Amino acid sequence: MGKKKNRKIEEYIAGALLFVVFGAVMIQVVNRFLVKISIPWTEELARYAFIWLSFIGVGIGVKRKSHMSVELLRNALGKNEKYLLILVDIIMLAIFVISAVYGYRLTGKLLASGQKSPALKLSMGYVYLAAPVGFTLAALHIVIQYARKLRKGGETW
């Protein structure tokens, strides 16, 4: 049971972030209509939680293999489809790794600079950290998928 929970940790985090986005937006809407006052931190919290949700979603999409694909090209290739899919995965892996590396560098610079968000006074490095974390998760899922395929003898290619 512990392994299943570990496999779903990204989904739990995404669900919690979605709840935060919903809650912050609801507080803002209710407050604007009833009290006629805007609370600045709710908009900022919703925005930053949505950014994290989006990048965690990249990893979940790769894990579930639910990103868009070009069906017409896949159908035209027939038996050679697996080679196209391998090439696409290699390109995606390279993009994710490069993006993660540069994202971690940028995050480090932002954390060192001490730049803070206006309302929450949160270090902007933590906001920007969402991108490299999401890209790292996506890259890990591609590697895990290929490790499983190789362990099964390549029968699922």
Side-chain angles (χ1 to χ4, degrees):
M1 178 144 169
K3 281 188 175 183
K4 283 200 173 199
K5 282 187 180 180
N6 288 340
R7 288 185 199 150
K8 298 231 177 236
I9 189 117
E10 289 164 272
E11 285 87 349
Y12 294 141
I13 292 170
L17 288 167
L18 186 59
F19 182 76
V20 168
V21 170
F22 176 77
V25 170
M26 285 305 299
I27 290 169
Q28 180 71 298
V29 168
V30 168
N31 215 36
R32 278 189 183 191
F33 281 107
L34 295 181
V35 186
K36 307 284 190 222
I37 296 173
S38 177
I39 304 172
W41 64 264
T42 57
E43 183 272 330
E44 202 171 275
L45 178 63
R47 183 177 346 123
Y48 297 156
F50 189 74
I51 289 168
W52 269 91
L53 175 62
S54 299
F55 283 106
I56 297 280
V58 170
I60 293 170
V62 169
K63 181 164 103 173
R64 293 182 179 175
K65 300 178 187 174
S66 60
H67 286 293
M68 293 188 313
S69 63
V70 184
E71 290 298 320
L72 181 65
L73 186 58
R74 289 177 71 180
N75 293 338
L77 289 173
K79 292 179 182 179
N80 294 324
E81 170 192 354
K82 73 178 182 180
Y83 300 113
L84 173 68
L85 295 177
I86 292 170
L87 178 63
V88 168
D89 284 341
I90 290 170
I91 292 169
M92 283 178 31
L93 181 62
I95 290 169
F96 291 146
V97 168
I98 291 167
S99 298
V101 167
Y102 282 102
Y104 284 118
R105 288 181 186 169
L106 177 62
T107 299
K109 288 177 183 177
L110 282 168
L111 287 169
S113 77
Q115 182 182 357
K116 305 272 187 205
S117 67
L120 293 173
K121 304 297 181 212
L122 178 70
S123 172
M124 290 304 292
Y126 295 125
V127 177
Y128 279 75
L129 185 62
V133 166
F135 293 138
T136 300
L137 289 171
L140 284 173
H141 287 303
I142 290 174
V143 170
I144 289 168
Q145 288 168 3
Y146 276 87
R148 287 182 181 149
K149 287 177 184 181
L150 290 172
R151 194 172 47 221
K152 290 181 181 178
E155 63 208 37
T156 58
W157 299 79

